[in-house]
């Protein structure tokens, strides 16, 4: 802050954002907590042809108007993604350079929650329910039945830019990495051209979301404060600043790669394709139920993936991981291998306990823990302490075929003695059963 300079952050790379986005979609959402409805919803689509945007402002708390705004914005999103899907289908080869990569960006995770809650409020609206089926189709083509391997999934369809900036950059800002301070710092450093400079009525010390008094002035008709046009312009400015930050992050990643430095953005994605198993225009009640079940499964897995994409130190401090651990000894009995570790004091209060499902043992490398298809090759169980185990030790059990497998032995060589991490992955025992039951019910329906 003394030098007003942009410096490297706590992590050299981020697994929350991809290095390529031929079609970038930016969203802004503001919620009024008094009325519990959206006040503003903004959409910007950027590709090689330029940028276009659409902004909806809701001056009243009318729920029907909120539903109309959701349909308007996400109708555009779905139409744009369908066009990308059609092009990539026509190309037919994901390795073709002409294939398009698509990604969704918000600045704050709070905005994603506001959109999610708005959708929940309108599940009785058939247009919104159809939209949920389209949300299922945001996942790449694969079987409808959820599987532990989650095959074909390219992780994280959306990114909260603030989380990426917090990982990668140390900025001259106070208290909060909000859009106003972050974009202004990057602009002063000459890294971006356009920053978010809110008008006086919109400026907040540590947040760039719409202030409560602005939305209340609008909805209560007090006759002073920003009107619909001013709020629309503020949303437009936030969309533009978010795009400027995302563009710079990708450009900086490319600069580092070109100069043989470590890559900065490491979220691995494939050219965008829509889920092909659902037809939202021909969906019966059982299809809707199946979609809800699938969305719950995907939401749970995506939440786990987002947590696993965070640095090991952050995962440990949040109680979701234990490490770095020191391997003391390994003993094999029957069909099990028992590994004894000593753990650092910082990890003694982790939320992981014996009997927890979905634990994975690795060297903490994100390329491993972010690949669900590899979790079974690192799966383990946390044991209750044996009688003579010291208090700062923990014991892990693995099936011997898993422990002696080539994959885990390679992990063991990389981790050595002191580089071990225990993480919580995602396990869903119910979705496949529910889908099988829905399939059974569908077979009973007589024409």
């Amino acid at each position: 802050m003394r030098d007003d300079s942009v410096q490297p952050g706590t992590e050299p790379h981020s697994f929350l954002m991809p290095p390529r986005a031929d079609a970038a979609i930016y969203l802004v959402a503001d919620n009024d907590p008094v009325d519990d409805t959206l006040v503003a919803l903004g959409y910007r689509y950027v590709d090689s042809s330029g940028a276009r945007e659409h902004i909806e402002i809701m001056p009243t708390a009318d729920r029907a108007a909120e539903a109309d705004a959701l349909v308007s914005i996400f109708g555009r999103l779905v139409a744009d993604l369908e066009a990308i899907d059609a092009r990539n289908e026509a190309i037919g080869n994901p390795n073709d350079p002409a294939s398009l990569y698509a990604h969704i960006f918000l600045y704050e995770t709070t905005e994603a929650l506001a959109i999610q809650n708005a959708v929940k409020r309108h599940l009785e609206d058939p247009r919104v329910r159809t939209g949920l089926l389209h949300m299922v189709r945001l996942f790449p083509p694969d079987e409808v039945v959820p599987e532990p391997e989650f095959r074909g999934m390219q992780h994280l369809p959306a990114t909260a830019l603030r989380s990426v900036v917090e990982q990668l950059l140390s900025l001259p800002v106070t208290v909060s990495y909000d859009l106003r301070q972050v974009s202004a710092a990057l602009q002063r450093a000459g890294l971006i051209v356009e920053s978010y400079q809110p008008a006086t009525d919109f400026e907040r010390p540590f947040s760039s979301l719409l202030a409560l008094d602005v939305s209340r002035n609008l909805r209560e008709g007090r006759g002073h404060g920003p009107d619909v046009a001013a709020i629309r312009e503020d949303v437009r400015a936030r969309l533009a600043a978010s795009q400027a930050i995302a563009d710079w992050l990708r450009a900086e990643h490319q600069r580092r790669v070109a100069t043989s430095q470590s890559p900065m953005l490491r979220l691995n994605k494939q050219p965008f394709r829509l889920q092909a198993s659902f037809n939202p225009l021909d969906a019966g009640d059982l299809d809707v139920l199946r979609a809800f079940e699938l969305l719950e499964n995907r939401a749970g897995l995506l939440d786990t993936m987002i947590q696993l994409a965070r640095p090991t130190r952050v995962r440990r401090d949040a109680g979701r991981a234990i490490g770095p651990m020191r391997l003391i000894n390994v003993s094999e009995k029957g069909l099990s291998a028992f590994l004894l570790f000593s753990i650092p004091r910082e990890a003694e209060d982790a939320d992981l306990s014996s009997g927890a499902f979905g634990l994975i043992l690795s060297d903490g490398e994100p390329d491993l823990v972010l690949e669900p298809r590899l979790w079974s090759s690192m799966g383990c169980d946390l044991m209750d302490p044996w009688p003579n185990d010291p208090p700062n030790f923990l014991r892990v059990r693995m099936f011997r075929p898993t422990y002696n497998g080539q994959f885990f032995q390679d992990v063991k060589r990389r981790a050595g003695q002191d580089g071990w991490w225990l993480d919580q992955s995602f396990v869903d025992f119910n979705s496949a059963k529910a889908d099988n039951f829905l399939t059974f019910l569908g077979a009973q329906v007589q024409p």
Side-chain angles (χ1 to χ4, degrees):
M1 292 185 68
R2 179 197 64 198
D3 298 335
D4 193 33
S5 63
V6 175
Q7 300 291 337
T10 57
E11 297 296 325
H13 50 248
S14 173
F15 287 83
L16 296 173
M17 179 175 170
R20 177 178 173 182
D22 303 311
I25 295 165
Y26 299 90
L27 296 173
V28 163
D30 291 302
N31 193 68
D32 185 323
V34 176
D35 294 327
D36 194 23
T37 55
L38 292 175
V39 181
L41 196 55
Y43 176 80
R44 170 175 283 210
Y45 179 86
V46 183
D47 62 10
S48 59
S49 64
R52 50 183 166 80
E53 62 188 21
H54 182 78
I55 298 171
E56 294 281 348
I57 307 297
M58 287 137 277
T60 70
D62 180 24
R63 295 296 176 98
E66 182 181 57
D68 290 341
L70 286 171
V71 172
S72 174
I73 293 294
F74 287 97
R76 287 171 167 80
L77 184 149
V78 168
D80 288 333
L81 292 180
E82 284 181 329
I84 297 171
D85 174 69
R87 172 180 170 135
N88 287 340
E89 182 181 20
I91 293 174
N93 180 9
N95 296 319
D96 192 315
S99 296
L100 297 180
Y101 291 71
H103 200 68
I104 301 171
F105 295 93
L106 304 97
Y107 189 77
E108 302 269 5
T109 54
T110 306
E111 297 175 274
L113 293 175
I115 294 172
Q116 180 186 38
N117 290 330
V119 170
K120 290 179 181 178
R121 288 192 289 269
H122 298 283
L123 292 179
E124 78 284 354
D125 190 318
R127 300 173 301 168
V128 176
R129 289 201 300 273
T130 300
L132 282 177
L133 292 174
H134 278 296
M135 289 177 67
V136 175
R137 299 182 70 226
L138 295 183
F139 300 98
D142 65 341
E143 296 292 338
V144 176
V145 179
E147 296 185 2
E149 292 183 352
F150 207 53
R151 67 173 184 236
M153 174 61 185
Q154 299 301 316
H155 321 316
L156 309 185
T159 291
L161 288 168
R162 175 170 173 163
S163 299
V164 178
V165 173
E166 288 174 338
Q167 283 186 9
L168 297 177
L169 303 174
S170 179
L171 299 174
V173 301
T174 58
V175 179
S176 170
Y177 273 52
D178 61 279
L179 181 60
R180 177 184 64 85
Q181 292 194 90
V182 167
S183 62
L186 294 175
Q187 186 185 45
R188 290 195 304 272
L191 302 176
I192 65 175
V193 175
E194 188 169 6
S195 65
Y196 173 55
Q197 300 176 349
T200 303
D201 289 334
F202 293 94
E203 186 170 342
R204 300 173 66 187
F206 310 120
S207 173
S208 297
L209 298 177
L210 200 64
L212 176 61
D213 58 348
V214 173
S215 63
R216 298 319 305 161
N217 285 335
L218 177 70
R219 291 192 162 176
E220 294 175 5
R222 298 175 184 175
H224 58 275
D227 58 10
V228 169
I231 296 175
R232 189 185 307 276
E233 189 57 37
D234 183 75
V235 172
R236 180 174 291 110
R238 281 183 277 157
L239 288 169
S242 297
Q243 179 189 341
I245 293 172
D247 288 346
W248 176 77
L249 287 170
R250 288 193 295 269
E252 175 65 10
H253 168 87
Q254 296 299 333
R255 184 192 68 79
R256 294 189 185 187
V257 172
T259 55
S260 300
Q261 298 182 54
S262 175
M264 189 173 72
L265 305 176
R266 295 180 60 182
L267 173 59
N268 181 31
K269 297 198 72 172
Q270 294 295 319
F272 180 79
R273 290 300 312 278
L274 285 169
Q275 157 73 249
S277 303
F278 274 114
N279 179 7
L281 300 179
D282 186 26
D285 291 340
L286 292 180
D287 292 314
V288 174
L289 289 175
R290 183 178 284 112
F292 279 127
E293 188 64 39
L294 183 58
L295 279 172
E296 183 177 0
N297 174 276
R298 295 323 199 221
L301 179 56
L302 285 175
D303 179 66
T304 299
M305 301 294 289
I306 290 169
Q307 299 304 323
L308 290 174
R310 300 189 183 280
T312 51
R313 172 185 55 82
V314 176
R315 302 203 302 270
R316 182 193 65 197
D317 293 347
R320 298 181 61 93
I322 299 176
M325 304 185 297
R326 180 181 180 86
L327 180 61
I328 304 302
N329 64 54
V330 180
S331 58
E332 298 187 32
K333 298 179 181 180
L335 294 177
S336 298
F338 297 91
L339 294 81
L340 181 66
F341 296 94
S342 65
I343 63 175
R345 184 176 301 274
E346 303 84 32
E348 290 180 356
D349 296 328
D351 294 333
L352 307 183
S353 60
S354 60
F357 294 108
L359 297 180
I360 53 176
L361 183 65
S362 72
D363 58 355
E365 172 58 44
D367 284 331
L368 295 183
V369 300
L370 283 174
E371 181 48 76
R373 289 170 291 188
L374 300 179
W375 290 346
S376 61
S377 300
M378 301 179 287
C380 64
D381 296 308
L382 184 57
M383 306 292 293
D384 289 323
W386 288 6
N388 296 325
D389 288 348
N392 63 329
F393 280 58
L394 63 79
R395 193 174 293 272
V396 169
R397 180 183 65 189
M398 301 185 79
F399 286 115
R400 287 183 66 180
T402 301
Y403 174 77
N404 292 318
Q406 182 63 46
F407 177 84
F408 188 78
Q409 288 300 309
D410 289 341
V411 174
K412 187 171 181 286
R413 279 191 290 272
R414 288 197 303 270
Q417 189 173 16
D418 297 306
W420 290 92
W421 287 84
L422 188 67
D423 279 282
Q424 177 80 61
S425 69
F426 175 75
V427 177
D428 181 4
F429 295 108
N430 296 321
S431 291
K433 296 177 181 178
D435 187 83
N436 288 335
F437 181 63
L438 291 172
T439 301
F440 167 77
L441 290 179
Q444 310 308 307
V445 177
Q446 298 298 321

